[in-house]
Amino acid sequence: MPRTLKAERLRTDIAAILQAAGSQPTEARQVADNLVMANLSGHDSHGVGMVPRYVEAVAEGGLVPNASARAVLDIGTMVSMDGQRGYGQVVGAHAMALGIERARQHGSCILSLAQAHHLGRIGHFAEMATAAGLVSMHFVNVLSRPVVAPWGGGDGRFGTNPCCIGVPLHGAEPFVLDFATSRVAQGKMRVAHNKGQRVAPGLLIDEHGAPTDDPGVVVVPQLNGLFGALMTFGEHKGYGMAIACELLGGALTGSGTWHREADTRRSVFNGMLTVLIDPEKLGTRETFDREARAFVDWLRQSPPGEGFEAVQIAGEPERGMRRARAEQGIELDDATWSEIVAAGRKVGVELGS
């Protein structure tokens, strides 16, 4: 049966595992907080279910605990950083903090981050920027087993390559658009597979390139040792955006692109190109505040369509889910919890029931 755990309990358990795997207490808690926030936000694919993979990545040497982001270049309006294979939740936040500081100083900053281990929910970094009153755009590539098929292709050739845009709204919560360029995140297939669920048609192809509703084809190798693949959203349009994220997040940052056969390594490396803009220094703050709010208010005046209660903007569903799960707890399926417990045992941590 699924179990429901309070956020603080999960933060404590996950931090204990990460610390036993080699992280200093501050890092362990920062990563745990980030993962639990993803669960609270409704993005279980980027939440605590990633911990078993992190433990394996540390063991194989791909993920380096306690590594920090290193500035390779800093000319104020442009900053290039090397994540040195550290926890993305830590090196990503470090890089963003520097980029935000430079954007406030100069009005804008182009920030590149290379070789970060799994950055997690990219919306977290957009929320950092919008909290500082900045607009942000993020293009991210994924160096791991290629799980997404190109438009017109029959096997995986690249990762889920997320794109994210954050826009502060005067007197209101921000617009935070955060999406994978695949039709669904790879982690959501892991969650569905662990729950024993089938998925909607049109999301997946099997190892032979044929449509399937079995999420296991991208989670575990099939009888011939091959995997299936996710499809891009919006057909050729999502495919084009995925390529853009690979070229900008991977090639332009120096983090690298995927162009080799898949392997079984557990590490997940991200490159991220971020553009930060300060509307104040752009000279449009007053107009921006007025027009952005006016447009959002105009959207909300639309009568709800069939099956909907109201018009929302990106970021609202996550904030609503946080309130609900903070009160009700976070539900984890048996398979995910068992994997977390097993990961703890690997590093000498016994979790309670």
Side-chain angles (χ1 to χ4, degrees), residues 127 132 166 186 194 197 213 238 248 255 258 264 280 329 331 351:
E127 288 166 354
Q186 161 73 0
N194 283 348
Q197 298 173 341
D213 63 357
L248 297 176
S255 195
W258 189 278
T264 59
E280 186 73 43
E331 183 178 291
L351 300 182

Side-chain angles (χ1 to χ4, degrees), residues 143-349:
L143 295 184
S144 180
R145 179 173 59 81
V147 295
V148 184
W151 175 242
D155 67 355
R157 292 282 152 166
F158 49 85
T160 52
N161 291 8
C163 179
C164 181
I165 299 171
V167 181
L169 297 173
H170 181 66
E173 296 285 357
F175 170 90
V176 180
L177 178 65
D178 180 13
F179 61 93
T181 48
S182 55
R183 289 189 182 175
V184 66
Q186 161 73 0
K188 293 187 187 301
M189 297 297 95
R190 169 179 50 79
V191 172
H193 175 68
N194 283 348
K195 291 181 176 180
Q197 298 173 341
R198 311 299 279 194
V199 298
L203 302 181
L204 298 163
I205 54 175
D206 65 18
E207 70 275 23
H208 305 295
T212 180
D213 63 357
D214 177 11
V217 299
V218 292
V219 179
V220 295
Q222 303 306 291
L223 293 177
N224 54 9
L226 299 176
F227 287 88
L230 296 162
M231 306 297 290
T232 55
F233 81 88
E235 301 176 333
H236 61 284
K237 297 177 182 179
Y239 170 47
M241 179 63 78
I243 294 175
C245 288
E246 192 76 26
L247 298 178
L248 297 176
L252 188 59
T253 63
S255 195
T257 63
W258 189 278
H259 43 78
R260 60 182 171 82
E261 292 299 318
D263 54 47
T264 59
R265 281 181 280 189
R266 302 297 285 161
S267 299
V268 182
F269 297 113
N270 292 139
M272 179 168 70
L273 180 72
T274 296
V275 179
L276 296 160
I277 302 169
D278 184 352
E280 186 73 43
K281 286 201 164 51
L282 189 63
T284 61
R285 169 65 74 182
E286 184 177 343
T287 302
F288 170 66
D289 287 346
R290 183 180 66 249
E291 290 298 318
R293 279 301 303 273
F295 179 65
V296 171
D297 290 344
W298 167 252
L299 292 175
R300 295 193 196 284
Q301 292 171 28
S302 176
E306 185 176 349
F308 293 87
E309 295 182 359
V311 170
Q312 293 185 303
I313 63 168
E316 284 187 84
E318 288 83 356
R319 291 189 287 267
M321 185 66 75
R322 286 174 199 170
R323 290 189 292 270
R325 288 190 169 185
E327 181 180 340
Q328 300 165 10
I330 296 168
E331 183 178 291
L332 297 177
D333 61 86
D334 276 345
T336 297
W337 179 248
S338 295
E339 290 170 0
I340 293 171
V341 170
R345 286 187 180 134
K346 285 182 182 179
V347 293
V349 174

